[in-house]
Amino acid sequence: MLDDTMKQQLQAYLGKLQRPIRLIASLDDGASSAELRALLQDIASLSDQVTFDESGSDARKPSFLIAREGETRGVRFAGIPLGHEFTSLVLALLWTGGHPPKVEADVIEQIKGLDGDFKFEVYMSLSCHNCPDVVQAASLMAILNPRVQTTVIDGALFQAEVDERQIMAVPMTYLNGQVFASGRMTVEEIVAKLDVKSEAREAAKLSAKDPFDVLIVGGGPAGAAAAVYAARKGIRVGVAAERFGGQVNDTMAIENYISVLETDGPKFAAALEAQVRHYEVDIMNLQRADKLIPASEPGGLVELQMANGGSLKARSVILSTGARWRNVNVPGEQEYKNRGVAYCPHCDGPLFKGKRVAVIGGGNSGVEAAIDLAGIVQHVTLIEFADALKADAVLVSKLKSLPNVSIHLNAQTTEITGDGARVNGLGYKDRVSGEVKHVELEGVFVQIGLVPNTEWLKGTLELSRYGEIVVDAKGHTNVAGVFAAGDCTTVPYKQIVIAAGDGAKAALSAFDHLIRTPVAEAVTA
């Protein structure tokens, strides 16, 4: 099942097991069960700390439980966890076997102290790069807390179950039989959602922090670069981010970052965070900024009020809040979000295997999505508002060579239709003839660009008509001591490498501001 290279790597990991574990399989006579049996036999053969048996009786077949020797609880995988989930499998084996997780000690204590019984069911697809975070978080919780049960389910393998629950986007997490969350979540986010008292504790912790020299809002490439450049000046630096890594976490392949031939978004985001932590920057993750209050006098403190009620203060602030997927804003989009309307073809594409889908958008993202989906679904209809596709020529050529793709130019999406439960079609207007047409399909992938995360700044500093923060060549905003960088600004070309350079520039400008601005008496008093 596993090739020799993977066996060697896995054997090295299994050498870290500190106690024996069991792989308890529930199998039938199908081909998938035979494949899972071979995988589990391979794993057991690599360590004398691992045993495998087929004594399981779970209703989901094929599935298997990873449990400590002598126990009948643990993490269950319903499916064959390869692809993006192979790392999740390895971590579940290690954690069950006593190897410590790389999670903050206070988060581990929060998990152990959760009050209640929690049964998680996490639906994923093996091609989803957002799913492992949720899978690994729920797995760790089940390993650390005996009142937590976790089952990880491959939606492509258990298609009937996915159809019954009308799951059309992954990761999809159920808690005690009810929908808990859709989309990527970290273990900290899940625990915070379950621990109702955590928000007040976190707010008090933020408000108690001493003022920063530079406070960065946002943890994407721009924010990470700003943090590194500022910290290297020997000053006090903090980063408040909703999700460290930002939109990079949702990027499948990165092949144009100079000196890095090829990587993926989650790996790149992890590398960003590791470098920032190397400089002992105070990272405050899962923190959403709500209001910016400029300094009341030159050299005074800028205040950042957070959504949880806490506040942070700093002598200078760098805004690097990034951007998010733009909505098409037609009837039916919000109603059928995660019920046929999707934004990540890599994550959700496998759920539409053999079905008909549309992609809205003819730029690089849209054309790449259409090409990827064409290898999975029955048919792809690409809808582009302009009179030509805007993607790179090599992508357009590839798209036009595919037999199961239809391209409609000069097409304005007017509505996404459904039967009340899920998408069943898309309406568009031919901008040349004026004719309104309807395409019957089961899924719509929206790929029409980005919108800056700046709504909370309206009325505080200057924004462009597109909502971007207006900056000069050095990253200054129109508010003293406040700088901005990356995709949330008017700087053209929203690319990772540009955002990183922009963040470095903003940090240097902030440092220049600090050394040239006397500290107000109120700050030193």
Side-chain angles (χ1 to χ4, degrees), residues 133-317:
D133 280 345
V134 182
V135 170
Q136 292 163 24
S139 298
L140 179 61
M141 292 174 68
I143 292 166
L144 294 177
N145 189 326
R147 299 182 70 178
V148 178
Q149 300 178 51
T150 293
T151 301
V152 179
I153 305 155
D154 182 356
L157 193 58
F158 290 87
Q159 190 68 51
E161 191 171 327
V162 165
D163 290 342
E164 182 181 354
R165 279 184 154 171
Q166 298 183 357
I167 296 169
M168 305 191 77
V170 290
M172 181 70 73
T173 305
Y174 281 72
L175 175 59
N176 298 334
Q178 302 297 317
V179 173
F180 174 71
S182 174
R184 181 182 182 273
M185 294 183 76
T186 63
V187 66
E188 292 86 356
E189 288 175 295
I190 295 174
V191 172
K193 198 169 180 179
L194 297 175
D195 184 357
V196 294
K197 297 179 181 178
S198 64
E199 186 173 90
R201 291 197 303 269
E202 190 63 27
K205 189 189 302 183
L206 293 179
S207 298
K209 289 181 181 290
D210 292 332
F212 294 94
D213 291 309
V214 176
L215 175 60
I216 299 154
V217 188
V228 169
Y229 268 73
R232 285 173 61 88
K233 297 297 184 182
I235 57 180
R236 178 169 159 75
V237 179
V239 176
E242 281 195 68
R243 178 176 60 149
F244 204 95
Q247 195 188 24
V248 164
N249 287 295
D250 304 324
T251 302
M252 186 61 180
I254 299 172
E255 299 175 347
N256 58 357
Y257 194 86
I258 306 307
S259 85
V260 179
L261 185 62
E262 182 180 358
T263 186
D264 62 44
K267 288 180 182 177
F268 190 82
L272 291 178
E273 184 170 355
Q275 186 171 14
V276 172
R277 289 191 183 279
H278 174 75
Y279 288 98
E280 299 183 350
V281 171
D282 187 349
I283 296 178
M284 296 157 281
N285 210 2
L286 309 182
Q287 301 300 330
R288 181 166 61 86
D290 194 52
K291 186 177 182 180
L292 180 75
I293 302 176
S296 58
E297 57 181 318
L301 296 176
V302 180
E303 182 178 353
L304 191 70
Q305 294 184 350
M306 313 306 290
N308 62 11
S311 67
L312 298 166
K313 294 181 179 180
R315 294 178 59 203
S316 65
V317 169

Side-chain angles (χ1 to χ4, degrees), residues 70-93:
E71 296 186 5
T72 56
R73 60 165 298 278
V75 180
R76 179 174 296 280
F77 285 87
I80 306 164
L82 297 175
H84 283 293
E85 293 303 339
F86 186 68
T87 299
S88 302
L89 168 62
V90 173
L91 289 174
L93 294 168

Side-chain angles (χ1 to χ4, degrees), residues 39-62:
L39 172 63
L40 300 181
Q41 287 174 337
D42 278 352
I43 295 172
S45 71
L46 299 174
S47 172
D48 57 9
Q49 292 274 55
V50 182
T51 57
F52 163 63
D53 65 66
E54 300 183 31
S55 62
S57 58
D58 192 75
R60 291 189 180 98
K61 296 181 176 63

Side-chain angles (χ1 to χ4, degrees), residues 328-336 340-341 343 360 413-418 422-427 438 441 443-446:
V328 68
N329 292 322
V330 297
E333 180 180 20
Q334 293 303 315
E335 180 183 355
Y336 292 105
V341 175
Y343 299 83
I360 302 175
T413 303
T414 56
E415 64 174 341
I416 296 170
T417 61
R422 61 181 66 192
V423 166
N424 64 16
L426 177 145
H438 186 268
L441 41 76
V444 176
F445 288 82
V446 180

